[in-house]
Amino acid sequence: MDIIEAMGARHAVREYTDQPLDENVLKALGDAIGRANADGGLDIQLVHDNEDAFGGCPTHYGRFRNVRYCLALIGRDTDASGEALDERAGYFGERLALEAVRLGLDTGWVVLHETTGHHGRWHMGDGERMPAAIALGHGARAGRPHRSKPIEELGMLADCDATSTSSSQSDALTGAPDWFVNGLKAVQLAPSALGKQPFRFVLLDDARHAVRAEALDGVQAHIGLGIAKLHFELGAGVQVLWE
């Protein structure tokens, strides 16, 4: 399975078996985490072989069972809003989630509360926080595809009216290049809080592959935007210039 296939195969799983992860899988995950931390300036940590990988922290949404492994997505804010860290956690966290799927694992995104009281499952240095985590393991049952917005709601050309609705939305991508449309199709597969997909991609310049990615109003919108930007890049198959 390549990473493009992993996007289609990845579905959220919240209940896991007791089956331990193979040592080779753990090593591959560790290597991938090292690359993600280096590329994203993050401090992502793998919590493994623990009866409660969430360390007793309550989840923001959804009931998880028997999570013995997780990725703690930890880093430092680079601005006061916190949006930059959320976006990086989404982007590099999803890169790791797709790698986990390639390795034969199931995954589930989760936002945890009270992450400073975690029974030592992870460590956070001064100025660090944990926007989200990803449960890992062998699912007790298969995940199901999530609902997705049509691509006409996920993307548009720069000269289109962002407030257009109904019949005019069908024309929002008229004349859009294939790479942009393919990127939006990959974005349809991107997970997001409550499945709302609160983001939009605007084509600015076809020749330069210039795109503006926007977070809309919604729960954990900037985490979702980071996830979606990775999907867009993978689907587009070109070097995207984010503006």
Side-chain angles (χ1 to χ4, degrees):
M1 182 186 299
D2 63 26
I3 199 165
I4 301 296
E5 293 168 329
M7 283 194 294
R10 186 220 61 81
H11 306 303
V13 170
R14 294 192 175 95
E15 183 174 356
Y16 295 84
T17 71
D18 291 332
Q19 182 180 348
L21 302 193
D22 181 89
E23 287 298 322
N24 291 330
V25 169
L26 288 173
K27 182 181 184 307
L29 283 174
D31 292 343
I33 290 169
R35 292 191 295 271
N37 283 336
D39 293 343
L42 296 166
D43 186 20
I44 298 171
Q45 299 160 36
L46 174 63
V47 181
H48 61 88
D49 199 22
N50 195 290
E51 291 185 2
D52 177 14
F54 292 165
C57 298
T59 61
H60 178 77
Y61 174 79
R63 296 182 62 184
F64 286 75
R65 293 187 177 92
N66 202 33
V67 179
R68 301 173 62 88
Y69 303 84
C70 81
L71 296 170
L73 307 179
I74 296 170
R76 285 184 171 82
D77 287 306
T78 55
D79 60 36
S81 71
E83 294 170 356
L85 174 57
D86 285 6
E87 187 175 313
R88 283 184 290 132
Y91 184 98
F92 290 100
E94 181 68 357
R95 198 169 86 175
L96 291 171
L98 295 178
E99 179 63 20
V101 172
R102 290 185 64 243
L103 293 169
L105 303 179
D106 294 297
T107 67
W109 275 86
V110 59
V111 171
L112 302 176
H113 293 303
E114 303 170 20
T115 53
T116 55
H118 46 69
H119 306 311
R121 300 297 188 264
W122 49 81
H123 60 83
M124 287 193 286
D126 292 342
E128 289 189 331
R129 65 181 179 88
M130 182 173 157
I134 302 173
L136 298 172
H138 298 284
R141 56 178 60 87
R144 295 179 296 178
H146 62 263
R147 290 181 298 175
S148 300
K149 289 182 178 179
I151 60 172
E152 291 82 6
E153 293 183 26
L154 292 169
M156 57 183 289
L157 307 185
D159 56 356
C160 290
D161 181 359
T163 64
S164 297
T165 58
S166 60
S167 60
S168 59
Q169 278 188 341
S170 62
D171 300 324
L173 295 174
T174 299
D178 288 345
W179 66 266
F180 186 71
V181 173
N182 290 338
L184 294 177
K185 289 178 179 178
V187 169
Q188 287 183 300
L189 301 174
S192 61
L194 305 176
K196 298 297 185 180
Q197 297 187 316
F199 32 72
R200 179 172 56 225
F201 294 79
V202 182
L203 175 61
L204 303 177
D205 188 329
D206 181 12
R208 295 188 300 124
H209 302 141
V211 177
R212 181 173 68 248
E214 306 169 334
L216 308 179
D217 291 337
V219 179
Q220 285 97 44
H222 285 87
I223 297 174
L225 179 63
I227 295 171
K229 286 175 74 171
L230 175 71
H231 277 239
F232 186 92
E233 289 177 350
L234 293 172
V238 298
Q239 183 66 46
V240 179
L241 176 63
W242 297 112
E243 294 190 347

